[in-house]
Amino acid sequence: MKKRQANFELLRILCMYMIVVGHCLFHGRVTAKLGYGTVNYFLSYFIQSFSVVHVNCFVMLAGYFAIDREFKSRRILRFWRQVVFYSVVICLICGLCTGVSGLDIRMAVFPVSSQNYWFASVYMGLALLMPFAGMLAMKLTKRQYRYLLGMLALFLSVNHMIFRVDAYGIYMGRELSWFLFLSLLAGYVKLYTRQERMYFWYGLAVYVFSSLVILGSVYLSVRLHREDIGYFLNYNSPLALLSTCALFVCIKNMPWKEGPWDHVILKIAGAAFGVYLIHDHYLIRYQVWDLFRASKVARTHWAVMYAAAVGVIVYASCTLLELARQKLFRAVGSWYERTTLYKKEQEILDRIDRIFL
């Protein structure tokens, strides 16, 4: 195991936990019921201001490890099977319990194309284009690479902040172009930044500072009655981008010694994407939080703390389900590998891989 691998996997766990808590606040209708301008209202946005990095960091992790790695179509197939499994299984359970429509069935069978999960759909596009991004990154000089990143940041982040129009095909940072930019940015961090302990502290300081400035923008939006100031909570805002880069650099340079807990971190991190697929399926995303009566405690003094605690429970439960799914797939996979269909599948995948050799 590489020395810093556990660092990055710890970041993966942290980001997914941020996502789960954010979903509790919004899909659980906690934030919507908080008194406008109350302590709990700002406390919820305090969490969101520090959590705005979660999706960006998830994408940067993918880019960091894939930018100079040999393309393997098997990884994409494994990702697709995971998405389809949860999409179909959850749809079947809902069909037996409450009933589903024909559209729900089509979305379950084709979850990527139908954007059943928006992140999975965009991430699939990124995975298919990633080898080309890697080729570009390895061919560019350091100076050319910096220029490319600067132009993309200007088009996709700064310009959008100033004019608030999606002139370059980006709106909130949920687009393929933004994911590609983040992957290239992670590649630059990997290829051209040194490992220095002081960067851990610099990164941490900038992350905290930029997150507090984002929180300040929310406070101004309340005081001035201008909701658009809270724009900095968008994934592609300059402050969110700065916060993401700072946290990523901080984690990259975190002093870390291998220990007995590393294998636990890697195990939990390996189930992180499954946590998202389980709890945020559109057929159950509101029912999950209604089960914990999240909206019922929205006006209590401990509403936000309750959301954080419930987030731990949901995360742990979904992790156990995903680990069980992985065990099931390993058992079925050992049988499937002996079939003729598997051999045909591997031949096709090998042909695809040879395109990028």
Coordinates of all heavy atoms in Angstrom, one line a residue, residues 11-48:
L11 N -10.2 11.1 2.6 CA -10.8 12.3 2.0 C -12.1 11.8 1.3 O -13.1 12.5 1.3 CB -9.9 13.0 1.0 CG -10.5 14.1 0.2 CD1 -11.0 15.2 1.1 CD2 -9.5 14.6 -0.9
R12 N -12.0 10.6 0.6 CA -13.2 10.1 0.0 C -14.4 9.8 1.0 O -15.5 10.1 0.7 CB -12.8 8.8 -0.7 CG -13.9 8.3 -1.8 CD -13.5 6.9 -2.3 NE -12.1 6.9 -2.9 CZ -11.8 7.3 -4.1 NH1 -12.7 7.8 -4.9 NH2 -10.5 7.2 -4.5
I13 N -14.0 9.3 2.1 CA -15.0 9.0 3.2 C -15.6 10.3 3.7 O -16.8 10.5 3.8 CB -14.4 8.2 4.3 CG1 -13.9 6.9 3.9 CG2 -15.4 8.1 5.5 CD1 -13.1 6.1 4.9
L14 N -14.7 11.3 3.9 CA -15.2 12.6 4.4 C -16.1 13.3 3.4 O -17.2 13.8 3.8 CB -14.0 13.5 4.7 CG -14.3 15.0 5.1 CD1 -15.0 15.0 6.4 CD2 -13.0 15.8 5.2
C15 N -15.8 13.2 2.1 CA -16.6 13.9 1.1 C -18.0 13.2 1.0 O -19.0 13.9 0.9 CB -15.9 13.9 -0.2 SG -14.5 15.0 -0.4
M16 N -18.0 11.9 1.1 CA -19.3 11.2 1.0 C -20.1 11.5 2.2 O -21.4 11.6 2.1 CB -19.1 9.7 0.8 CG -20.4 8.9 0.7 SD -21.5 9.5 -0.6 CE -20.4 9.3 -2.1
Y17 N -19.5 11.6 3.4 CA -20.3 12.0 4.6 C -20.8 13.4 4.5 O -22.0 13.6 4.8 CB -19.4 11.9 5.8 CG -20.1 12.4 7.1 CD1 -21.1 11.6 7.6 CD2 -19.7 13.6 7.7 CE1 -21.8 12.1 8.8 CE2 -20.4 14.0 8.8 CZ -21.4 13.3 9.4 OH -22.1 13.7 10.5
M18 N -20.1 14.3 3.9 CA -20.6 15.6 3.6 C -21.8 15.6 2.7 O -22.8 16.3 2.9 CB -19.5 16.5 3.0 CG -18.3 16.9 3.8 SD -17.1 17.8 2.9 CE -15.9 18.2 4.1
I19 N -21.7 14.7 1.7 CA -22.9 14.6 0.8 C -24.1 14.1 1.5 O -25.2 14.6 1.3 CB -22.5 13.7 -0.4 CG1 -21.4 14.4 -1.3 CG2 -23.7 13.3 -1.2 CD1 -20.8 13.4 -2.3
V20 N -23.9 13.1 2.3 CA -25.0 12.5 3.1 C -25.7 13.5 4.0 O -26.9 13.6 4.0 CB -24.6 11.3 3.9 CG1 -25.7 10.8 4.8 CG2 -24.1 10.1 2.9
V21 N -24.9 14.3 4.7 CA -25.5 15.3 5.6 C -26.2 16.4 4.8 O -27.2 16.8 5.2 CB -24.4 15.9 6.5 CG1 -24.9 17.1 7.3 CG2 -23.8 14.8 7.4
G22 N -25.6 16.8 3.7 CA -26.2 17.8 2.8 C -27.6 17.3 2.3 O -28.5 18.1 2.2
H23 N -27.6 16.0 1.9 CA -28.9 15.5 1.5 C -29.9 15.4 2.6 O -31.1 15.6 2.4 CB -28.7 14.1 0.9 CG -28.0 14.1 -0.4 ND1 -27.4 12.9 -0.9 CD2 -27.8 15.0 -1.3 CE1 -26.9 13.2 -2.1 NE2 -27.1 14.5 -2.3
C24 N -29.5 15.2 3.8 CA -30.4 15.2 5.0 C -31.0 16.6 5.2 O -32.2 16.7 5.4 CB -29.6 14.7 6.3 SG -30.7 14.7 7.7
L25 N -30.1 17.6 5.0 CA -30.6 19.0 5.2 C -31.6 19.4 4.2 O -32.5 20.1 4.5 CB -29.4 19.9 5.2 CG -28.4 19.8 6.5 CD1 -27.2 20.7 6.3 CD2 -29.2 20.2 7.7
F26 N -31.3 19.0 2.9 CA -32.2 19.4 1.8 C -33.3 18.4 1.5 O -34.5 18.8 1.6 CB -31.4 19.6 0.5 CG -30.7 21.0 0.5 CD1 -29.4 21.1 1.0 CD2 -31.4 22.1 0.1 CE1 -28.8 22.4 1.0 CE2 -30.8 23.4 0.1 CZ -29.5 23.5 0.6
H27 N -33.0 17.1 1.2 CA -34.0 16.2 0.9 C -34.8 15.8 2.2 O -36.0 15.4 2.1 CB -33.4 14.9 0.4 CG -32.7 15.1 -0.9 ND1 -31.7 14.3 -1.4 CD2 -32.8 16.1 -1.8 CE1 -31.3 14.8 -2.6 NE2 -31.9 15.9 -2.8
G28 N -34.2 16.0 3.3 CA -35.0 15.8 4.6 C -35.8 17.0 5.0 O -36.5 17.0 6.0
R29 N -35.7 18.1 4.1 CA -36.5 19.3 4.3 C -36.2 20.0 5.7 O -37.1 20.5 6.3 CB -38.0 19.0 4.1 CG -38.3 18.6 2.8 CD -39.8 18.3 2.6 NE -40.2 17.1 3.4 CZ -40.1 15.9 3.0 NH1 -39.6 15.6 1.8 NH2 -40.5 14.9 3.7
V30 N -34.9 19.9 6.1 CA -34.6 20.5 7.4 C -34.3 22.0 7.2 O -34.9 22.8 7.8 CB -33.3 19.8 8.0 CG1 -32.8 20.6 9.2 CG2 -33.6 18.4 8.3
T31 N -33.5 22.3 6.2 CA -33.1 23.7 5.9 C -34.4 24.5 5.5 O -34.5 25.7 5.9 CB -32.1 23.8 4.8 OG1 -30.9 23.1 5.2 CG2 -31.7 25.2 4.5
A32 N -35.3 23.9 4.8 CA -36.5 24.6 4.3 C -37.4 25.0 5.5 O -38.1 26.0 5.4 CB -37.3 23.7 3.3
K33 N -37.3 24.3 6.6 CA -38.2 24.6 7.7 C -37.5 25.4 8.8 O -38.1 25.7 9.8 CB -38.7 23.3 8.3 CG -39.7 22.6 7.4 CD -40.4 21.4 8.1 CE -41.5 20.8 7.1 NZ -42.2 19.7 7.8
L34 N -36.2 25.6 8.6 CA -35.5 26.4 9.6 C -35.9 27.9 9.5 O -36.1 28.4 8.4 CB -34.0 26.3 9.5 CG -33.3 24.9 9.7 CD1 -31.9 25.0 9.4 CD2 -33.6 24.5 11.2
G35 N -36.0 28.6 10.6 CA -36.4 30.0 10.6 C -35.3 30.8 9.9 O -34.1 30.7 10.2
Y36 N -35.8 31.6 9.0 CA -34.9 32.4 8.1 C -34.0 33.4 9.0 O -34.6 34.2 9.7 CB -35.7 33.2 7.1 CG -34.9 33.9 6.0 CD1 -34.2 33.1 5.1 CD2 -34.7 35.3 6.0 CE1 -33.5 33.7 4.1 CE2 -34.0 35.9 5.0 CZ -33.4 35.1 4.0 OH -32.6 35.7 3.0
G37 N -32.7 33.2 9.0 CA -31.8 34.1 9.7 C -31.6 33.6 11.2 O -30.9 34.3 11.9
T38 N -32.1 32.4 11.6 CA -31.9 31.9 12.9 C -30.5 31.3 13.1 O -29.8 31.1 12.1 CB -32.9 30.9 13.3 OG1 -32.8 29.8 12.4 CG2 -34.3 31.5 13.2
V39 N -30.1 31.0 14.3 CA -28.8 30.4 14.6 C -28.7 29.0 13.8 O -27.7 28.7 13.2 CB -28.6 30.1 16.1 CG1 -27.4 29.3 16.3 CG2 -28.6 31.5 16.8
N40 N -29.8 28.2 13.9 CA -29.8 26.9 13.2 C -29.7 27.1 11.7 O -29.1 26.3 11.0 CB -31.0 26.1 13.5 CG -30.8 25.1 14.6 OD1 -29.6 24.7 14.8 ND2 -31.8 24.8 15.4
Y41 N -30.3 28.2 11.2 CA -30.2 28.5 9.7 C -28.8 28.7 9.3 O -28.3 28.1 8.3 CB -31.1 29.7 9.4 CG -31.1 30.1 8.0 CD1 -32.1 29.6 7.2 CD2 -30.3 31.1 7.4 CE1 -32.2 29.9 5.8 CE2 -30.3 31.4 6.1 CZ -31.3 30.8 5.3 OH -31.4 31.2 4.0
F42 N -28.1 29.5 10.1 CA -26.7 29.8 9.7 C -25.8 28.6 10.0 O -24.8 28.4 9.4 CB -26.1 31.0 10.5 CG -26.6 32.3 9.9 CD1 -27.5 33.1 10.5 CD2 -26.2 32.7 8.6 CE1 -28.0 34.3 10.0 CE2 -26.7 33.9 8.0 CZ -27.6 34.7 8.7
L43 N -26.1 27.8 11.0 CA -25.4 26.6 11.3 C -25.4 25.6 10.2 O -24.5 25.0 9.9 CB -25.8 26.0 12.7 CG -25.0 24.8 13.2 CD1 -23.6 25.3 13.4 CD2 -25.6 24.3 14.5
S44 N -26.6 25.5 9.6 CA -26.8 24.6 8.5 C -26.0 25.1 7.3 O -25.3 24.3 6.6 CB -28.3 24.5 8.1 OG -28.7 25.7 7.5
Y45 N -25.9 26.4 7.1 CA -25.1 26.9 6.0 C -23.6 26.9 6.3 O -22.8 26.9 5.4 CB -25.6 28.3 5.6 CG -26.7 28.3 4.6 CD1 -28.0 28.5 5.1 CD2 -26.5 27.9 3.3 CE1 -29.1 28.4 4.2 CE2 -27.6 27.9 2.4 CZ -28.9 28.1 2.9 OH -29.9 28.0 2.0
F46 N -23.3 26.9 7.6 CA -21.9 26.7 8.0 C -21.4 25.3 7.6 O -20.3 25.2 7.0 CB -21.8 26.8 9.6 CG -20.4 26.5 10.1 CD1 -19.5 27.6 10.2 CD2 -20.0 25.3 10.5 CE1 -18.2 27.3 10.7 CE2 -18.8 25.0 11.0 CZ -17.8 26.1 11.1
I47 N -22.2 24.3 7.8 CA -21.9 23.0 7.3 C -21.8 22.9 5.8 O -20.8 22.4 5.2 CB -22.9 21.9 7.8 CG1 -22.9 21.8 9.3 CG2 -22.7 20.6 7.1 CD1 -23.9 20.9 9.9
Q48 N -22.7 23.6 5.1 CA -22.7 23.6 3.6 C -21.5 24.3 3.1 O -21.0 23.9 2.0 CB -24.0 24.1 3.1 CG -25.2 23.3 3.4 CD -26.5 24.0 3.0 OE1 -26.7 24.4 1.9 NE2 -27.4 24.2 4.0

